[in-house]
């Protein structure tokens, strides 16, 4: 989501472009989830492993691995069963990250294993989808993202309004103080002039 603060000080929030990172070691499954996400008007980045996902997010421990400091990811969809780093391992890494812990993570699997599902949800997964993933699943997930983004926009507008109110109060106080200071200066000048005229009159008498 991009924020713009014009000269007037009012915050303008530009509707976000939804960006999804899809992780799956199966090229067929990657193509399927990518197609469903694009049909739903999402920007999609696909990688073939949990390790590549960490590299893309800059979470692999190599400071030079990612130069995408302004990277914005709205959702991460990952397969559970992958060689090396599993979807569950990737989920834990993301939730341990200060930069991406708030990003919703959805786990996909072709195996309906209840303990596995409960384990992922307990660790912070937003949803656990059974393959093959359907368009209805993707639309439901997109609605989830939109709700999260709408809440963020609402919070930003509220903060902007509070900031503007504080700035207005400061301006009013400064103006009042300035007016009081001007009045005090004028009163002092008048008093000095009257005293001088009185002294001149006394000397004449």
């Amino acid at each position: 989501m991009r924020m713009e603060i014009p000269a007037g000080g009012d915050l303008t929030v530009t509707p976000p472009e939804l960006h999804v990172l899809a992780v799956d070691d199966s090229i067929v499954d990657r193509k399927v989830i990518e197609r469903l996400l694009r049909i739903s008007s999402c920007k999609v980045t696909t990688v073939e492993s949990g390790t590549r996902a960490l590299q893309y997010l800059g979470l692999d421990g190599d400071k030079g691995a990612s130069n995408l400091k302004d990277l914005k990811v709205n959702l991460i969809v990952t397969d559970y069963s992958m060689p090396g780093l599993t979807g569950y391992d990737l989920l834990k890494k993301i939730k341990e990250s200060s930069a991406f812990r708030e990003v919703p993570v959805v786990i996909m699997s072709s195996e309906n294993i209840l303990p596995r599902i409960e384990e992922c949800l307990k660790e912070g997964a937003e949803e656990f989808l059974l393959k093959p993933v359907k368009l209805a699943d993707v639309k439901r997930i997109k609605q989830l993202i939109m709700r999260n983004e709408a809440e963020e926009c609402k919070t930003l507008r509220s903060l902007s309004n509070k900031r503007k109110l504080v700035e207005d109060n400061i301006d009013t106080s400064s103006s009042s103080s300035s007016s009081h200071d001007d009045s005090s200066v004028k009163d002092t000048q008048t008093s000095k002039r009257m005293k001088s005229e009185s002294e001149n009159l006394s000397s004449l008498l």
Side-chain angles (χ1 to χ4, degrees), residues 1-4 10-18 72 74 144-162:
M1 178 167 42
R2 188 173 76 254
M3 296 178 294
E4 298 177 355
D10 291 335
L11 181 68
T12 301
V13 181
T14 304
E17 180 183 28
L18 302 184
K72 174 67 175 179
N74 303 97
L144 168 69
I145 301 173
M146 295 297 290
R147 282 198 302 270
N148 291 343
E149 293 293 332
E151 285 298 319
E152 187 177 347
C153 288
K154 185 178 179 181
T155 300
L156 289 171
R157 288 195 186 97
S158 177
L159 291 173
S160 175
N161 290 336
K162 288 180 181 179

Side-chain angles (χ1 to χ4, degrees), residues 45-64:
T45 299
T46 61
V47 293
E48 71 280 3
S49 68
T51 301
R52 285 288 295 119
L54 291 180
Q55 290 175 352
Y56 179 75
L57 296 172
L59 301 178
D60 62 339
D62 184 355
K63 293 182 180 179

Side-chain angles (χ1 to χ4, degrees), residues 6 25 32 42 80 86 89 92 94 103 106 114 146 154 160 164 167 172 174 182 187 189:
D25 61 312
V32 169
C42 293
Y80 182 93
T86 67
D89 295 330
K92 291 178 65 176
I94 291 169
V103 177
V106 173
L114 186 58
M146 295 297 290
K154 185 178 179 181
S160 175
K164 192 172 186 303
E167 290 175 348
T172 301
S174 299
D182 290 345
D187 289 344
Q189 291 175 343

Side-chain angles (χ1 to χ4, degrees), residues 1-77:
M1 178 167 42
R2 188 173 76 254
M3 296 178 294
E4 298 177 355
I5 304 179
D10 291 335
L11 181 68
T12 301
V13 181
T14 304
E17 180 183 28
L18 302 184
H19 181 198
V20 182
L21 174 62
V23 190
D24 203 313
D25 61 312
S26 166
I27 187 171
V28 174
D29 289 341
R30 280 204 309 275
K31 292 295 183 182
V32 169
I33 191 66
E34 180 180 9
R35 180 173 178 274
L36 293 176
L37 287 165
R38 292 193 186 281
I39 289 174
S40 301
S41 302
C42 293
K43 175 184 175 182
V44 187
T45 299
T46 61
V47 293
E48 71 280 3
S49 68
T51 301
R52 285 288 295 119
L54 291 180
Q55 290 175 352
Y56 179 75
L57 296 172
L59 301 178
D60 62 339
D62 184 355
K63 293 182 180 179
S66 176
N67 59 358
L68 301 175
K69 295 182 179 180
D70 298 324
L71 177 65
K72 174 67 175 179
V73 176
N74 303 97
L75 175 71
I76 298 171
V77 181

